[in-house]
Amino acid sequence: MTRGVVGILGLVVALAAGGERAGAQGSTAAVEARRVQGNVYLLHGAGANIAVQVGDLGPVLVDTGMAERADDVLAAVRGLTPKPIRYIINTHADADHIGGNERLAQSGTALQPRGVATVGAGQGLRAEIIAHELLLNRVSAPAGERAPTPIAAWPTSTFSGREKDFFFNNEGIQVIHQPAAHTDGDSIVYFRRSDVVAVGDVYGTTSYPVIDAERGGSIQGMLSSLNFLLALVISGEKTEGGTMIVPGHGRISDEADLVEYRDMVTIVRDRIQDMIGKGMTLEQVTAARPTMEYDGLYGAAPGWTAAQFVEAVYRSLHPAGLSQRR
Amino acid sequence: MRGHMRSVERAGLTCLLALVVAAAPASAQVLISGDWVGLFHEDQPERAPGPEVGDYLGLPINAAARQYADSWDASRLTLPEHQCRAHAVPYINRGPIRLRIWEEKDPLTQATTAMRIFLSTYAQDRTIYLDGRPHPPEYAPHTWQGFSTGAWNGSVLTVTTTHIKRGWHRRNGLPQSEQTVLTEHFYRHGNYLTHVTITDDPVFLEEPLVKTTNHILDLNTQPANYQGWLVCQADDEVPGRDPAWVPHHLPGQNPFIADFAKRHGLPFEATRGGAATMYPEYLKKVVGATR
């Protein structure tokens, strides 16, 4: 078995183990709420970041954090509103983003239970869980096979096209599929009146982007998604604020922060592409340290090192793809 | 030692501040409110026309900062999303700047709760809280001017700023990271205001970067002296360009990086910066190398 395959298996194991990587917050930290702007809040400390839209009709959650923090997340939501959770929207299938699905959905109540909304758990009173269909494919399994997550955590309302829109709590909500970015089932969630977009692991401030090729991610898809986001967000006065971004991990951001990240990913992609064009092996590329100046910013995330990022980009760009050996 | 100013430098700065503090009355806190204009007797070539590409002289940058700047292409500034960016607080004070400083008062107690600063460059606003509030958590947004708290130490206002956006240590691509913590000392002597900045950047500096900037009180400020800027509209400076394109130089392929050394007859190594290049003894090394 090559070291490259070992590296990929290591990532798969890490993902299966709960997504405790890429800047995931420790499991003992308090779950804290902070208003982003408009009706949207950030819940921090439950693994991945959680965005919560609060309104008269009840809260909407974007992601649910790690399973073991679900009660803390629920308490934090209760601190924002006494109303039951109506919708959960998942940005992708990592366990640190969907781990609380089951508990939080069970705590809530769909505003208008629909047939499709009750398929997952068979309970009409749960909150609806919305996600792209490819996410459902990742967390479920064909009949007769063992699914990686319990059925009660599965999405109950999926979409298969580019986008799902709905209007809730007096604002439009766009759930927009980002194909082949972190995974093939990524979505971003844009709260239009609040002007806040929750982006899952398409963007973060604490690690290099995790390109999960085994689940359909790619460097080109990641860059396409980052550039899509740049086109979506608008800076406020004096080039700060405006559209606010809730990343999968790290701090609340705006366009200026996103630009730095997009630039970094583009520059690293270009360097590795150039090295591949020169016939350099993965070992040679890694030794050349194409991320060197950014490692102090993004290279210390648990479970997703600079070398892993370089390897993922290399394999994503190399004509031989995943099978490329060292 | 990385992340720490040489002890002699730190001690010197401490002594300087101690002298200033000692010279002030015990009642301390002086009035620094007013309109102040920057004096340009220090580092004028960098501050007005701007630094040359490859000029890293006298900055305690590390290898990561050097590679970042070597890769930087000035054409990056033509991208719409880069055009309107402000300077971050560790750098903005060396610009062609005017300051308006005023005090925020508690209406009941009349205690000063905050100092406010309006900077003419990019029309930036700062609030320096003096009410003892904590800094926000790390996951709070970063801004160009960061989050500042301060306290009077005798007649010196000392300010600590965190939550600063990515900026520059020098505007030729030398980066300043979001992990930067800025310490400032404001002290007034007569109609002059001296502003000391100590920039700690664990990502891109080997040692803290210390600067002083002087301002003079302007009693005849006109509104037009300040830049009115509410909306900056980015333009499409290069029509037809792929919006996903990011200008940069591949490692080792920046053709301009040695031009500064050649133009000024300097050893290339000296232009590369680093903590050692800040100190007088480095001159002996350079002179020795050029003989």
Side-chain angles (χ1 to χ4, degrees), chain A residues 246-325:
Chain A
V246 176
H249 299 270
R251 68 177 182 277
I252 300 166
S253 302
D254 61 15
E255 184 186 42
D257 302 303
L258 179 65
V259 167
E260 298 291 359
Y261 200 76
R262 187 283 307 263
D263 287 1
M264 176 273 292
V265 178
T266 303
I267 289 168
V268 172
R269 187 275 314 268
D270 289 353
R271 288 175 180 175
I272 294 175
Q273 184 75 73
D274 178 68
M275 292 173 183
I276 291 172
K278 291 174 178 171
M280 292 172 68
T281 65
L282 175 57
E283 285 178 334
Q284 290 170 326
V285 171
T286 303
R289 299 189 63 195
T291 61
M292 190 269 268
E293 67 265 51
Y294 301 106
D295 288 351
L297 294 166
Y298 308 113
W304 189 246
T305 64
Q308 287 175 295
F309 173 56
V310 169
E311 179 174 345
V313 176
Y314 183 91
R315 294 186 185 283
S316 186
L317 293 173
H318 200 283
L322 281 174
S323 63
Q324 173 62 25
R325 299 291 191 264

Side-chain angles (χ1 to χ4, degrees), chain B residues 176-229:
Chain B
Q176 162 255 307
S177 84
E178 298 90 334
Q179 296 177 27
T180 293
V181 175
L182 181 70
T183 304
E184 299 167 274
H185 304 287
F186 294 84
Y187 54 94
R188 178 177 182 167
H189 34 104
N191 285 341
Y192 292 89
L193 182 71
T194 295
H195 181 207
V196 179
T197 59
I198 304 167
T199 305
D200 286 282
D201 183 348
V203 177
F204 291 125
L205 294 181
E206 293 177 325
E207 296 181 11
L209 174 59
V210 183
K211 298 178 184 175
T212 58
T213 306
N214 290 313
H215 298 79
I216 188 168
L217 188 65
D218 183 1
L219 298 176
N220 191 32
T221 297
Q222 303 298 314
N225 294 137
Y226 284 91
Q227 183 180 15
W229 183 26

Side-chain angles (χ1 to χ4, degrees), chain B residues 32-67:
Chain B
I32 62 171
S33 296
D35 290 283
W36 302 90
V37 183
L39 296 172
F40 282 74
H41 55 91
E42 301 167 287
D43 300 334
Q44 197 275 344
E46 177 184 345
R47 295 173 64 181
E52 297 180 52
V53 169
D55 173 10
Y56 310 155
L57 277 169
L59 296 178
I61 58 168
N62 61 18
R66 198 171 292 117
Q67 176 158 308

